[in-house]
């Protein structure tokens, strides 16, 4: 039987020392070892985007990354972005425009949306669609999600003036 491997990383700003089996992916590690269940697991094949997290400031599919590959990394999950207030405006825009129904895709959508807005403060609707093309939503039809991200970008630009 394979022994668990030690790893040390930062998760939402806090140091975590743990052990994980070599086959454990980062999504399962976050959910099952750290009880950070905001990172959802859908397809487990890198297709749906439900498991999107930030690793060293770039978004990744946590189902495609092994937990041991995050040794030494800084990981931020939806809980971290939410608790810090970084995406409070985006969350409010999603709520106000009914951009979520079952909510299963929402953490991944918010992670991807915030990633886009950090890179491109004034995205076109096509750019928003393109950036979210790897995040599936079964409920909303996407329009409300695009609206919420567009509105947040607009508000951020206005408050930055
Ligand atoms: S669960 Fe990771 S992309 Fe679908
Ligand atoms: S709100 Fe249900 S999958 Fe997107």
């Amino acid at each position: 039987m394979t022994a668990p491997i030690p790893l040390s990383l930062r998760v939402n700003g806090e140091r975590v020392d743990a052990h994980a089996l070599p086959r454990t992916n980062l999504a399962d590690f976050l959910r099952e070892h750290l009880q950070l269940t905001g990172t959802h697991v859908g397809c487990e094949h890198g297709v749906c985007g439900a498991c999107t997290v930030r690793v060293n400031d770039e978004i990744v599919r946590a189902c495609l990354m092994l937990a041991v590959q995050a040794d030494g990394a800084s990981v931020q999950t939806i809980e971290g972005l939410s608790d810090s207030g970084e995406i409070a405006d985006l969350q409010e825009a999603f709520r106000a425009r009914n951009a979520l129904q079952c909510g299963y895709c929402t953490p991944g959508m918010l992670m991807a949306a915030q990633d886009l807005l950090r890179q491109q403060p004034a995205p076109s609707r096509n750019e928003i669609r393109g950036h979210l093309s790897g995040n599936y939503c079964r409920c909303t039809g996407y329009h409300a999600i695009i609206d919420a991200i567009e509105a947040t970008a607009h508000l951020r630009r206005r408050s930055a003036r």
Side-chain angles (χ1 to χ4, degrees), residues 27 40-52 61-64 134:
H40 290 168
V41 175
C43 65
E44 295 188 82
H45 286 96
V47 176
C48 74
C51 64
T52 305
R61 305 276 200 242
C63 71
L64 293 186

Side-chain angles (χ1 to χ4, degrees), residues 17-122:
D17 295 304
H19 288 75
L21 290 171
R23 66 170 179 271
T24 301
N25 69 40
L26 181 59
D28 288 343
F29 177 77
L30 292 168
R31 290 177 56 82
E32 290 165 18
H33 290 247
L34 305 183
Q35 282 73 55
L36 292 169
T37 53
T39 299
H40 290 168
V41 175
C43 65
E44 295 188 82
H45 286 96
V47 176
C48 74
C51 64
T52 305
V53 297
R54 223 187 248 167
V55 176
N56 294 337
D57 238 25
E58 291 194 15
I59 55 170
V60 303
R61 305 276 200 242
C63 71
L64 293 186
M65 184 170 180
L66 295 171
V68 293
Q69 291 177 299
D71 186 34
S74 172
V75 176
Q76 284 180 296
T77 68
I78 191 65
E79 289 89 348
L81 267 61
S82 183
D83 290 350
S84 71
E86 178 180 334
I87 56 167
D89 52 357
L90 201 48
Q91 290 170 305
E92 172 56 24
F94 268 56
R95 190 200 60 75
R97 286 169 178 75
N98 294 321
L100 64 154
Q101 289 176 29
C102 79
Y104 204 83
C105 70
T106 309
M109 286 288 181
L110 290 167
M111 296 294 300
Q114 177 65 357
D115 182 63
L116 170 65
L117 295 179
R118 292 204 315 165
Q119 295 174 42
Q120 166 55 290

